[in-house]
Amino acid sequence: MARAYRLQRAQLIRRPRPEVFEFFSAAENLEAITPPALSFQILTPLPIELRSGTLIDYRLKLMGIPFNWQTRIDLFEPPLRFRDSQLQGPYRRWEHLHEFFETAEGTLMIDTIDYEIPLGPLGALARMVFVSRQLDAIFDYRRERVFELLSHGPGNLPATGSRGPIEISSAGPLATPVNS
C-alpha cells in the first residue's frame, strides 16, 4: 500500500500579489529557482501560456541520472492559486498547489505538495534516506532564490523569505495512507 506524504512551505514576499503570481505562473522562471545540480530544463517551447489543461515537459537529473517529467495545470485561478500534477516522472503521484494570499506585509505564498513514492517498501526506504532530504534542499534553495530575485526592483519593498518570521516546513505522512 502506497503512503501519501505532504511537504508544505510558506514564504512572505513583500511584493503585490498580482506581481508574485505572475512570477510563479511564468514557467520560464522555474529554471531560475531550481538548484543547478538538477540540470533542470524546460522542453516545452517558451513562452508557455498557463491555464487549466496546459501541459509542460521538463528534463532534469537526479544523482546524475536524466529523466523526463511532464506536468499538467489542473487548476488556474489568477491571482489566487494554481495546481500542477505530474503525468510522467519519478513519483507515483505529485500534486503541487501554489497559493497566494494578500497580507498587510505583502504576499504570503504557500506551496503544498502531496506526493507518493513508487516501489512500495523500497520507495518508503528511499524517501526516508534520500527523497525527503532532497525535497527539503530543493525548496530551501527555492526560498533563497525567490528572496534574491524578488527582493530588488524599483518601488518594491524587499522580500523576507528565510530571513522572515513565516516558515512552514513539514514532510510527513498524511493521516490516511492511499491504496496502491
Side-chain angles (χ1 to χ4, degrees):
M1 184 181 313
R3 300 234 18 206
Y5 300 94
R6 172 170 282 174
L7 171 68
Q8 189 168 54
R9 293 287 183 102
Q11 182 170 3
L12 179 63
I13 304 167
R14 296 192 189 274
R15 302 287 278 265
R17 178 168 59 177
E19 186 179 325
V20 174
F21 185 89
E22 183 179 337
F23 177 85
F24 282 94
S25 62
E28 54 271 19
N29 289 331
L30 280 171
E31 290 184 36
I33 61 173
T34 301
L38 294 178
S39 300
F40 182 85
Q41 178 184 14
I42 297 172
L43 301 177
T44 302
L46 298 173
I48 299 169
E49 180 187 345
L50 240 56
R51 62 181 187 278
S52 291
T54 297
L55 299 178
I56 307 172
D57 294 304
Y58 318 92
R59 180 173 295 129
L60 58 146
K61 291 181 183 178
L62 281 177
M63 300 173 52
I65 301 168
F67 63 91
N68 291 336
W69 184 314
Q70 183 181 62
T71 59
R72 178 184 57 227
I73 304 301
D74 296 320
L75 173 72
F76 192 70
E77 299 175 350
L80 305 175
R81 68 187 62 86
F82 67 95
R83 182 181 59 232
D84 57 270
S85 298
Q86 172 194 281
L87 298 180
Q88 174 190 343
Y91 293 90
R92 185 168 192 260
R93 179 174 71 98
W94 175 275
E95 295 175 357
H96 184 174
L97 177 64
H98 312 253
E99 295 178 287
F100 305 89
F101 299 93
E102 283 188 31
T103 73
E105 295 81 26
T107 302
L108 177 63
M109 177 190 67
I110 299 178
D111 288 300
T112 303
I113 299 96
D114 292 319
Y115 67 99
E116 296 174 11
I117 306 291
L119 306 176
L122 184 59
L125 179 61
R127 182 192 169 274
M128 286 179 11
V129 172
F130 173 71
V131 174
S132 64
R133 277 189 292 184
Q134 182 181 46
L135 287 175
D136 282 339
I138 288 168
F139 279 87
D140 288 348
Y141 178 89
R142 183 175 188 235
R143 180 186 59 235
E144 291 297 322
R145 288 294 291 151
V146 166
F147 177 84
E148 292 168 9
L149 294 169
L150 297 181
S151 67
H152 304 292
N156 293 298
L157 299 171
T160 56
S162 63
R163 295 159 180 83
I166 299 174
E167 178 67 27
I168 298 170
S169 177
S170 64
L174 296 174
T176 308
V178 177
N179 293 331
S180 303

